[in-house]
Amino acid sequence: MNLKELTIKEAHKLLEEKEITSVELTKAHFDGIKKHDGNIHAFLSLTEKEALESAKKVDQRISKGEPIEMLAGIPAAIKDNILIRGAKTTAASKILENYIAPYDATVIKKLKEEEAVFIGKTNMDEFAMGGSTENSAFGPTKNPVDTNRVPGGSSGGSAAAIKAGFSVYALGSDTGGSIRQPAGFCGVVGFKPSYGAVSRHGLMAMASSLDQIGPITKNVDDAAAVFEIIRGADILDSTSADREWQSYHDKPVDIEEIKFGVPREYFTHGLAPEIEKNIKAVISKLEKEGAQIEEISLPYSEWALAAYYIIMPAEVSANLARFDGIKYGYSKMSNLKDTYLESRGEGFGAEARRRIMLGTYVLSAGYYDAYYTRAQKVRRLIKQDFVHAFKEVDAIITPTSPTTAFKFGEKTQDPLSMYLADIYTVSINLAGVPAISIPIKEVNGLPVGLQLIGNNFEDIKLLKIAKIVEDMSK
Ligand code: GLN
C-alpha cells in the first residue's frame, strides 16, 4: 500500500480499522517531502515535530477505542497566507519573512478540533497575487507533472503538494482563480466555495470582497469532506454567512435531473482547441447519460477581467497599507517617510508594488468614478448574468483555464498575458458563486481542468454534481 496515494476517506477508514497509524501516515508524507521537495519546492516551511505530536495523540485515542473525526490524524498542507498560531506565516513575501502568526485562522481552529495534522505551509505568489507561483519571494514551485512548467497560482504550492503526494489534502485561497487554476494545471481537484461560506478570519487579506478559502484535494468526495468542516458562520468575519447547510451525504443527485449550461462566451478565441475538444467530449458524454445540456449566454463575461483588475488592486492597495515597516515585518528604519518608502519598496516584490500603484490610482480623487465606480457597476451586471443563468440551469460547465500549464518565464515579462490566464475564473469571484475544477483527459501529457459553477450557496449541490462529472470523466 502506498500511503502517499490515499484519499481522506481511505486514510480515515484505514486509521479506524487500525491498519495504519497516523504516525506512519505522517512519516510517509515527510519521507516523500524530504526526497522530492528539494526539486518541487511546494513548501515554505515544515512543522514536522508538531505534526508527529498531533499524529501520536490521534493514535493514542484510536488505540483506546475512541471514535475519531473524519480528518483526525490526516496530513494537511496549508497555504502560507493562512495563520497557524506559532507557525511562520509569510504569504511568500520578504516583508513578512520572519512573521510568526499570533493566532489561529478560524479554518485552522476548526481543523484542530478535528485533530488534523498540519505538515507545513505551502508556497504561493506573494500575497496571492499571480497565477504561476513565480511571484513568490522565496523562489517558484515546479509542477510535479512536468518540472519545466509552472504549477499555476497563486496556491501553486498547495496544488503541487497534493499532486506530488506530499499531503493528503491542502487549503488554498481563491480571489480570482487561485484554487481552481493551480488545481487544473496540476491535475487535482480545487473548490472555491460561495463567498461567505467559509470564514476569512486569519486569512491574510488580498481583496476582501473576493477572497475565499477552499480545499485542494485528490477527488470531489475529499473536497466535500474538508468543506463540511471549514464552512460556517463566524463571529470574527462579518461577511461569513449563517445558513442551514445540507449534507453532502444526503440523497445523491440524479443525472437525468441535472440541466447544465454551456456559456457560449467561454468557448471562443483564446481557448486552446485541444482543451475545448476534451471539455466538449465530457459534455457529450453527460448528454448521452441523460443530462440536459443547454447553451446559455453570460453576456458581461467579456468585461470580467477588466473589472476584476480594477476592483482587486483597489482592495489590495487598501489591505496592504498595513505593512508599513513599523507594525510588523521587514523594516528599514530611518525618518518616518523613508521608513515607509524603503520598507515597502524593498519588502514588496514587483507584482505587489504594481498592484498597489494601480489600486491607489483607480481610487484616487478624479479617477475613482471613471474606474472604480464603473467597475463596480460592471460587477453588478456580471452577478446578474449568473442570477439569470441559474434560473434556467443547475450548473455551468466551462474550462478552468484557456491553456495547460505554461513554462517558467513565459509570461513573467508581460503581466497582461499572465492576467489573461484568469479569463474563466475571475467572474465567479466577482459574482460570489461557488466553482470547482476537476481534472479531465490530459492534453499532451498535461492536466486539463473542467470548471463547474454553481448557484450562490448551492455548494453542496455543486459538489454532488461535480462527483457525477468526475465519475464520468474517468
Ligand atoms: N491570478 C489571479 C490574480 O493574479 C488570481 C489570484 C488569486 O485568486 N489569489 O489576481
Side-chain angles (χ1 to χ4, degrees), residues 128-131 154 174-178 206 308-309 312 355 422:
M129 294 183 234
S154 64
D174 191 312
T175 305
S178 279
M206 175 183 162
Y308 172 80
Y309 276 96
M312 175 274 296
R355 294 190 192 202
D422 304 329

Side-chain angles (χ1 to χ4, degrees), residues 282-390:
V282 174
I283 295 173
S284 311
K285 210 163 164 201
L286 285 165
E287 193 164 26
K288 242 198 249 142
E289 298 290 328
Q292 302 167 57
I293 309 287
E294 187 175 304
E295 191 187 65
I296 59 164
S297 174
L298 299 169
Y300 288 98
S301 304
E302 196 181 335
W303 290 282
L305 265 184
Y308 172 80
Y309 276 96
I310 288 173
I311 293 167
M312 175 274 296
E315 295 186 23
V316 161
S317 74
N319 275 325
L320 268 52
R322 73 192 64 171
F323 302 104
D324 57 5
I326 296 172
K327 284 201 278 294
Y328 22 53
Y330 183 83
S331 180
K332 238 347 202 346
M333 281 288 178
S334 57
N335 63 53
L336 187 60
K337 188 171 158 221
D338 289 340
T339 299
Y340 291 155
L341 293 181
E342 287 173 26
S343 304
R344 289 169 66 81
E346 292 171 23
F348 287 130
E351 185 62 25
R353 291 202 306 276
R354 179 179 297 121
R355 294 190 192 202
I356 291 169
M357 285 190 276
L358 269 172
T360 308
Y361 179 79
V362 301
L363 289 177
S364 60
Y367 292 103
Y368 186 95
D369 282 336
Y371 292 107
Y372 186 71
T373 308
R374 279 182 98 183
Q376 289 291 19
K377 288 182 181 164
V378 173
R379 179 177 192 172
R380 168 60 64 91
L381 294 169
I382 289 168
K383 235 178 179 155
Q384 287 301 329
D385 271 359
F386 284 100
V387 170
H388 292 142
F390 285 116

Side-chain angles (χ1 to χ4, degrees), residues 379-436:
R379 179 177 192 172
R380 168 60 64 91
L381 294 169
I382 289 168
K383 235 178 179 155
Q384 287 301 329
D385 271 359
F386 284 100
V387 170
H388 292 142
F390 285 116
K391 284 190 180 138
E392 296 294 318
V393 301
D394 299 294
I396 296 172
I397 300 187
T398 77
T400 304
S401 305
T403 64
T404 50
F406 43 88
K407 294 203 168 129
F408 287 100
E410 222 178 284
K411 298 188 195 284
T412 36
Q413 294 314 311
D414 178 7
L416 272 182
S417 74
M418 186 77 88
Y419 299 169
L420 274 173
D422 304 329
I423 190 142
Y424 301 136
T425 48
V426 294
S427 30
I428 283 86
N429 301 71
L430 290 169
V433 294
I436 185 166

Side-chain angles (χ1 to χ4, degrees), residues 136-147:
S136 166
F138 308 114
T141 297
K142 291 181 189 165
N143 191 323
V145 179
D146 175 349
T147 51

Side-chain angles (χ1 to χ4, degrees), residues 189-215:
V189 169
F191 174 49
K192 182 208 89 79
S194 296
Y195 183 79
V198 177
S199 168
R200 293 180 294 109
H201 175 68
L203 166 70
M204 286 180 188
M206 175 183 162
S208 310
S209 77
L210 303 160
D211 300 340
Q212 263 298 279
I213 295 173

